């Protein structure tokens, strides 16, 4: 057990170094065992080969994003489950500009979300070649850079114009997103009512 050191002349550089060494070893032997990561994350942490802003690729967007647009999104492989990782379709819920802006998105998945109260099955899969059905996961809200978004392409690899979800789908997704954020949003509503005369 570590004890606090007195803040006086007895705290010599050598004793401080010894304390640092003991703290470091204590941290090394008490990892957060409840957390798991994928192999890429463990390798990146081990080698400290973590992504930096200087490595950002060139954006593939040809215009600013709009609500309801569907893109591929390159989520980080350095994730903690149940975060999304690698490439998934996403729907834009807050559009942004190509240059130096943030795009707020919800991931789409072919994994059944029937047991998720915030999941919504789209009327049509915007990428029909991958699966018959597609679900919006409305309790997974992400803010991503333009460089993470890529356009859909046809079977020959040709870029497609951004597809926009049907209005009914957007309304249903909006409703579930509000429900997922309900506790937080209710604070804003309460504050607004308090300010009214």
């Amino acid at each position: 057990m570590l004890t606090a050191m007195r803040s006086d002349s007895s705290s010599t550089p050598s004793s401080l170094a010894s304390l640092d060494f003991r703290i470091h070893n204590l941290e090394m032997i008490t990892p957060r065992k409840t957390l798991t990561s994928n192999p890429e994350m463990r390798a990146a942490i081990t080698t400290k080969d973590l992504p930096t802003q200087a490595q950002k690729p060139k954006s593939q967007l040809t215009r600013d994003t709009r609500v309801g647009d569907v893109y591929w999104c390159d989520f980080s492989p350095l994730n903690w489950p149940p975060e999304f990782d690698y490439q998934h379709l996403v729907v834009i819920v807050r559009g942004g500009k190509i240059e130096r802006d943030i795009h707020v998105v919800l991931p789409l998945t072919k994994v059944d979300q029937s047991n998720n109260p915030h999941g919504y099955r789209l009327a049509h899969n915007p990428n029909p070649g991958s699966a018959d059905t597609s679900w919006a996961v409305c309790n997974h809200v992400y803010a991503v850079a333009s460089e993470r978004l890529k356009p859909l392409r046809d079977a020959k690899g040709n870029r497609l114009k951004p597809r926009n979800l049907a209005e009914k789908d957007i309304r249903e997704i909006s409703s579930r997103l509000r429900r997922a954020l309900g506790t937080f949003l209710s604070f804003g509503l309460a504050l607004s009512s308090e300010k009214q005369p």
Side-chain angles (χ1 to χ4, degrees):
M1 179 176 180
L2 294 175
T3 57
M5 298 188 66
R6 292 164 48 198
S7 178
D8 55 24
S9 58
S10 65
S11 298
T12 62
S14 60
S15 62
L16 290 175
S18 176
L19 177 62
D20 289 341
F21 177 76
R22 282 180 287 162
I23 291 175
H24 173 73
N25 281 330
L26 180 64
E27 292 173 344
M28 291 297 289
I29 62 176
T30 56
R32 293 186 292 176
K33 296 180 180 180
T34 57
L35 295 178
T36 58
S37 62
N38 58 41
E40 290 80 2
M41 188 171 197
R42 291 196 295 271
I45 293 173
T46 301
T47 63
K48 300 187 184 303
D49 184 22
L50 299 176
T52 63
Q53 186 174 4
Q55 297 172 324
K56 286 173 68 174
K58 182 179 179 181
S59 173
Q60 296 187 28
L61 297 180
T62 56
R63 66 162 173 80
D64 300 340
T65 59
R66 303 167 186 167
V67 171
D69 284 351
V70 175
Y71 292 92
W72 287 110
C73 181
D74 280 333
F75 289 103
S76 172
L78 310 183
N79 74 308
W80 297 111
E83 296 171 350
F84 277 72
D85 61 356
Y86 295 103
Q87 187 166 264
H88 280 84
L89 286 178
V90 296
V91 57
I92 304 291
V93 297
R94 180 190 178 276
K97 298 184 180 300
I98 297 176
E99 297 295 333
R100 297 181 178 275
D101 207 350
I102 286 295
H103 313 266
V104 181
V105 305
L106 296 176
L108 305 180
T109 179
K110 57 187 177 184
V111 177
D112 193 305
Q113 298 291 309
S114 299
N115 295 326
N116 178 1
H118 307 297
Y120 170 69
R121 180 175 174 175
L122 302 178
H124 303 285
N125 188 344
N127 187 37
S130 63
D132 293 333
T133 60
S134 181
W135 295 76
V137 189
C138 304
N139 58 330
H140 278 249
V141 186
Y142 295 88
V144 300
S146 298
E147 290 78 8
R148 290 196 182 277
L149 300 176
K150 298 179 180 178
L152 276 67
R153 297 180 181 273
D154 63 20
K156 296 182 179 180
N158 299 313
R159 181 194 299 264
L160 299 174
K161 291 182 179 180
R163 294 179 176 175
N164 199 274
L165 294 184
E167 184 176 337
K168 178 180 182 298
D169 284 339
I170 296 175
R171 286 200 305 269
E172 293 290 344
I173 290 172
S174 174
S175 175
R176 284 163 176 76
L177 177 56
R178 289 197 304 272
R179 186 189 310 161
L181 301 178
T183 301
F184 178 75
L185 295 177
S186 64
F187 282 101
L189 294 174
L191 290 174
S192 297
S193 61
E194 290 174 2
K195 293 179 180 179
Q196 292 179 1

